[in-house]
Amino acid sequence: QPHLAVTATPWPGSAAVWSSDSDAGYALNRLIAARSVIGRTQTALAAAAPGLWDRGPALRVKVGGALASVSPEQLLNGANLMAIGDGSPANWELLQFAGAALVAPGVYDLTLRLRGQAGTDAVAPAVWPAGSLVVLMNGAPKQIELAASERDLARHYRIGPAQRGYDDPSYLHRVEAFAGIGLRPLSPAHLRARRSGGGDLELGWIRRTRVEGDGWSGLDVPLGEAREEYLLRVVQGTAVRREVMLGQPSWTYPAGMQAADAVALPFEIHVAQLSESFGPGPFRRIVINV
């Protein structure tokens, strides 16, 4: 179910979300009680490796609301989570920041970041340009109701002051379709390849999970899907030379099969985890050049 962040000046006290399958016959979907901290970036933000501190140049943002610095320990416990994106339903990265230095009214420099949180590293672009949207995910944005049968269907939404009717001119009308990306599997990690003596290519990777993956006491993270399954593609340029369904995080690409597929160096291996409810998640890629 998608998150909705709402702000207004002045804040009306609460916002209402009305939804329908057409621009008529609306039903109340959700009441939003708190104003979200929303803004735009004033500098570009280049991609950075997940799981490591991003100590690159400060990200300057202008927001309607207050931001505050936190300790690295607070950040690792979940503080200062922010979404950055282009405003479309699915193109967002989740990041965290420890430093928030006020440089002008409503303008902050964000430093010491963790990038690509919650699996968004696989879908983040090479650069978020200046002017990208940012939303502080501090609990104010709320999930709206979206039934499984309504995924990928265009629906009408009217959003405005809760004390007014949805036909009031102050209401914003949006038509959106949502894929339910909370069900999307995370991309595999640590995709690796090595040649055997006979020229076979041995591939392996580490599974990630979108469900309860923060614990360290178990033998492995929960699967989070009905069964473990992967889609592997052998890609030459833009052509898919072979596609394989797998039930384990490894595969051997025999030399004879490589010859039959007519692959030439360099080529790529793409691997995605599968979900019965969503399909393939983002692909992790590795270039084979030896």
Side-chain angles (χ1 to χ4, degrees):
Q1 293 172 328
H3 285 78
L4 177 65
V6 182
T7 190
T9 303
W11 178 244
S14 62
V17 186
W18 298 78
S19 61
S20 176
D21 56 2
S22 64
D23 194 18
Y26 285 89
L28 182 63
N29 185 299
R30 180 83 197 220
L31 291 174
I32 307 292
R35 175 182 181 178
S36 289
V37 177
I38 302 175
R40 290 190 180 272
T41 62
Q42 295 190 332
T43 56
L45 179 65
L52 300 172
W53 291 113
D54 177 8
R55 302 179 186 271
L59 172 64
R60 181 161 292 183
V61 300
K62 184 173 184 178
V63 297
L67 303 177
S69 298
V70 298
S71 69
E73 291 77 16
Q74 289 173 304
L75 184 147
L76 293 174
N77 283 328
N80 278 0
L81 180 66
M82 175 174 278
I84 179 171
D86 61 6
S88 63
N91 194 25
W92 295 86
E93 178 191 349
L94 290 173
L95 59 85
Q96 291 176 269
F97 58 93
L102 183 67
V103 296
V107 180
Y108 294 84
D109 279 353
L110 308 183
T111 54
L112 193 59
R113 300 172 295 260
L114 283 181
R115 303 290 303 279
Q117 299 293 69
T120 57
D121 57 300
V123 297
V127 176
W128 288 111
S132 296
L133 284 165
V134 290
V135 179
L136 187 64
M137 303 301 291
N138 60 352
K142 297 297 184 182
Q143 286 181 287
I144 63 174
E145 295 294 329
L146 184 76
S149 59
E150 296 169 342
R151 287 174 53 205
D152 296 311
L153 299 180
R155 292 186 58 80
H156 292 252
Y157 297 91
R158 288 189 175 268
I159 306 158
Q163 68 271 26
R164 301 183 185 181
Y166 64 77
D167 55 352
D168 188 87
S170 62
Y171 267 67
L172 174 68
H173 177 217
R174 295 284 296 267
V175 180
E176 300 285 356
F178 300 100
I181 59 172
L183 300 174
R184 181 177 63 194
L186 275 59
S187 62
H190 305 297
L191 179 55
R192 60 196 184 276
R194 71 179 185 89
R195 291 282 185 184
S196 67
D200 294 352
L201 187 65
E202 298 178 356
L203 298 146
W205 53 90
I206 302 297
R207 175 179 61 80
R208 296 199 289 172
T209 183
R210 60 183 178 83
V211 178
E212 298 180 358
D214 290 334
W216 292 85
S217 57
L219 296 177
D220 199 355
V221 293
L223 178 59
E225 306 295 342
R227 60 179 179 270
E228 186 172 4
E229 198 168 24
Y230 304 93
L231 175 62
L232 181 146
R233 291 172 176 166
V234 179
V235 180
Q236 182 87 67
T238 59
V240 177
R241 295 296 178 88
R242 183 174 293 272
E243 195 169 86
V244 184
M245 303 282 285
L246 303 166
Q248 71 287 327
S250 62
W251 185 59
T252 297
Y253 192 19
M257 189 179 291
Q258 297 172 47
D261 294 342
V263 293
L265 299 176
F267 62 93
E268 296 182 354
I269 300 293
H270 300 182
V271 183
Q273 189 172 4
L274 292 173
S275 163
E276 285 187 346
S277 57
F278 189 90
F283 283 87
R284 182 72 67 184
R285 306 181 180 192
I286 187 172
V287 177
I288 308 301
N289 51 23
V290 292

